[in-house]
Amino acid sequence: MAPIPADIEYVRLAPALGEDEASCDPQATWDFNAIGWLLDEVKQAGGEIPRRYYRKHDTQGAYGDTPEDLMAMHADFKSVREARDVLGRKIRGSFTWEKSRRESGSEARRKKRPEVAAMIKARARRLSESLQEDSTLMQDLATEMGLSPFTGVVMGDFMDLLKALEQAAGKMENKTVSSAPFPQIDMTPQELLFSRLLTAYREGLDADPTSGYSASHHDPKGPFVAFAKAAHKLAGKDQPSSDALESAMKTARGAGSGED
């Protein structure tokens, strides 16, 4: 496995409400470059990567410099970034879902959720207002953040996201909090993790996880193996064992035969 590029930094996940920061796992930022590295690992292992994860100029030459070309470049970059963001969320969720599920299901957390939503709504509105009050500062911040047509995201996209966050938090603020307990899942944490990674691979890469798989001498190889190993590395976790990978393949084959 290739080393993670230096521009992909590890961060400590923001602590959940009431938790000590030291209890939170370090993870990569799961950004554009991180997902690009993971996709390269899958490709090196023989996997086919859907076209939506790459910018047009990566494979078909650079754009021109007309206004139309710049608009097309922005749309292309934004589309690719969104596709990689979706895949990143799927993978990240594979590692954090069960923990988040347990924490969010606690009675204390459920009762506090409307209060937290109201706080988020107020802060999103204030941030949006502050940015709009000083257009020069907004442009300077956009430059510092690297927001431009060349990155696929502009300041207007950020402002739209703030507005959407404010509206969503407003709905959560007034939403009735459910008191029903979460249903139990009859799977070990490892089985649950690989079940979600298999789903992320199928849906994210439009591919069968068993395709290209081999395990001679108890040494699993193939595109999904590379995907799982890269995901573990980005998540700051120990590499999956051969037993875990072979068990995941048995699960994948069972799911495939069940669909026929």
Side-chain angles (χ1 to χ4, degrees), residues 108-208:
R109 186 68 55 81
R110 288 199 300 269
K111 288 182 177 179
K112 197 169 185 179
R113 192 167 295 145
E115 176 186 341
V116 175
M119 177 188 67
I120 292 172
K121 182 184 74 171
R123 289 181 176 178
R125 177 180 298 172
R126 181 56 188 151
L127 178 55
S128 178
E129 291 173 348
S130 297
L131 289 170
Q132 294 178 52
E133 287 170 0
D134 191 334
S135 59
T136 301
L137 174 60
M138 185 189 295
Q139 290 303 318
D140 289 344
L141 287 170
T143 300
E144 289 295 328
M145 296 166 64
L147 302 183
S148 74
F150 294 96
T151 65
V153 179
V154 294
M155 200 64 178
D157 298 323
F158 183 69
M159 298 298 289
D160 290 343
L161 181 60
L162 278 178
K163 185 64 176 178
L165 177 60
E166 178 188 340
Q167 293 174 345
K171 292 178 181 178
M172 293 300 299
E173 176 187 13
N174 299 311
K175 191 173 183 180
T176 302
V177 178
S178 172
S179 60
F182 277 63
Q184 295 297 313
I185 297 179
D186 189 21
M187 299 176 73
T188 67
Q190 179 175 282
E191 290 171 340
L192 180 60
L193 167 61
F194 273 95
S195 172
R196 295 185 71 83
L197 284 176
L198 287 167
T199 298
Y201 186 88
R202 288 191 190 95
E203 296 179 352
L205 300 185
D206 307 328
D208 178 358

